[in-house]
Amino acid sequence: ASSETSVGTQLPLQSQVNITGLAVHLGAGSTVLAPNARVTVSAGVWDYLLNANEGRNQFVRSAGQVFMDSGAMIDVAGSTDVAVAMAQYILSVELRGAELADAPVQRTGVLRGPTLTVDLRQTGTYNGKSWVGTPLADLAGYVGLVQRTAGELTADGGSVSISAGESVVMQPGSIVDVSGGFLNYEGGFIEPTRVIQGGRLVPIAEAMPDQVYDGIYTGTFTTGSSRWGVTETYAIPWMSGRHYEAGYVHGAAGGSVSIQAPAMAIDGELRGNTVTGPRQREANPVMSSLTLKFTGETLIQSGQPAVTISPTPPAITFAEDSQ
């Protein structure tokens, strides 16, 4: 199976914002703005934890409140409308031993050595292993060479974790936003390699590693005269496979919201929107998530580990058109 997706085998290191105290008050009009970041807001107390070898501080959610006033916002939504040049994902590669380590049929075949053009946006799985560009080879190393902007690296929605020992309050008009952003791929001409197999042309993104191929299709033919020792090579533009691909939008993954406290008043707005691009019908962006935990912590004895408690566990019901 194959699909088109954004490129990147390693996630960027996310920015982190940590706010800790006995009482945390985000006032009217205040904003925590950090695209794709991890924001943690915690209300509680510090205690010194003892053990057999050493002591250390522990933060205990046995007291405290997090209060978001009307107009306060925590915004870790992904970057939007990020311009991406399509050409940066069209790479010329040469398959050698490292790339063909898992494709023994190709190690001595006609595709070892010549320059191939692959589209790194094409991905899928073969025999349970993920591939990018073509199933024929392992191109993970080439993916790491693609230079991406800060906008591309921060397109996914971030995460917001709010916890308190007593309560979390979001006033009407307060907002927590973990929506996913989107990339705007610019249009351009592409010409991925096609290989020849028994008189048919196979796009490189559909070439399986367990098949034998006759060569690389170049879209040219050669004529000549043996009498005069002259040869001429002609290119046939419409047979080369080169074509213009229009620009399109690609939605990024949504983020997550986690709220943990014995009591909550969530009268504000939780946003977790995602954008599904026209080429993401089979592989939609990861949806945003929400976690609510009505728990706190208590200290049975100072210097000992805190114990999780749920003094007033409520019944939670999600209903259509609920306010």
Side-chain angles (χ1 to χ4, degrees), residues 139-216:
L139 301 182
Y142 287 92
V143 173
L145 298 178
V146 177
Q147 296 183 355
R148 294 186 289 168
T149 65
E152 291 178 78
L153 294 175
T154 58
D156 291 344
S159 64
V160 175
S161 176
I162 304 175
S163 62
E166 294 178 352
S167 62
V168 172
V169 177
M170 290 183 62
Q171 290 285 77
S174 61
I175 299 172
V176 174
D177 193 347
V178 297
S179 299
F182 62 91
L183 308 178
N184 195 344
Y185 283 96
E186 301 171 349
F189 285 94
I190 63 173
E191 190 177 344
T193 294
R194 292 182 292 175
V195 295
I196 304 172
Q197 184 186 48
R200 70 187 186 97
L201 300 180
V202 180
I204 195 68
E206 300 175 13
M208 297 294 109
D210 59 350
Q211 301 293 312
V212 176
Y213 299 96
D214 303 320
I216 300 173

Side-chain angles (χ1 to χ4, degrees), residues 16-284:
Q16 299 186 42
V17 178
N18 297 314
I19 305 173
T20 304
L22 176 60
V24 179
H25 177 208
L26 300 180
S30 63
T31 300
V32 177
L33 175 61
N36 183 243
R38 289 183 291 181
V39 173
T40 301
V41 183
S42 305
V45 297
W46 287 99
D47 185 63
Y48 194 70
L49 179 65
L50 302 175
N51 57 38
N53 300 317
E54 62 180 6
R56 61 181 177 84
N57 290 327
Q58 66 170 337
F59 189 77
V60 183
R61 293 183 297 103
S62 59
Q65 180 188 67
V66 175
F67 188 92
M68 291 186 64
D69 217 332
S70 179
M73 173 182 284
I74 300 177
D75 186 355
V76 296
S79 300
T80 60
D81 199 19
V82 180
V84 179
M86 191 179 302
Q88 75 182 45
Y89 294 113
I90 311 300
L91 296 186
S92 296
V93 301
E94 294 181 1
L95 306 184
R96 304 292 184 180
E99 292 80 14
L100 299 175
D102 296 328
V105 175
Q106 308 302 325
R107 292 176 194 167
T108 58
V110 296
L111 301 184
R112 179 189 175 102
T115 300
L116 307 177
T117 302
V118 298
D119 184 350
L120 295 182
R121 297 168 301 159
Q122 299 293 331
T123 64
T125 57
Y126 177 80
N127 282 345
K129 185 175 181 179
S130 299
W131 59 264
V132 57
T134 175
L136 285 171
D138 181 2
L139 301 182
Y142 287 92
V143 173
L145 298 178
V146 177
Q147 296 183 355
R148 294 186 289 168
T149 65
E152 291 178 78
L153 294 175
T154 58
D156 291 344
S159 64
V160 175
S161 176
I162 304 175
S163 62
E166 294 178 352
S167 62
V168 172
V169 177
M170 290 183 62
Q171 290 285 77
S174 61
I175 299 172
V176 174
D177 193 347
V178 297
S179 299
F182 62 91
L183 308 178
N184 195 344
Y185 283 96
E186 301 171 349
F189 285 94
I190 63 173
E191 190 177 344
T193 294
R194 292 182 292 175
V195 295
I196 304 172
Q197 184 186 48
R200 70 187 186 97
L201 300 180
V202 180
I204 195 68
E206 300 175 13
M208 297 294 109
D210 59 350
Q211 301 293 312
V212 176
Y213 299 96
D214 303 320
I216 300 173
Y217 183 73
T218 61
T220 62
F221 71 94
T222 301
T223 62
S225 170
S226 58
R227 178 179 179 181
W228 301 107
V230 176
T231 61
E232 293 181 304
T233 300
Y234 298 89
I236 309 175
W238 61 271
M239 292 185 66
S240 68
R242 184 173 187 266
H243 62 282
Y244 180 80
E245 191 170 296
Y248 61 94
V249 167
H250 182 95
S256 63
V257 177
S258 174
I259 303 176
Q260 186 172 4
M264 306 178 192
I266 312 299
D267 295 317
E269 183 179 354
L270 303 177
R271 296 177 181 173
N273 302 318
T274 55
V275 175
T276 301
R279 302 193 177 198
Q280 296 177 276
R281 295 174 183 172
E282 296 180 0
N284 294 333

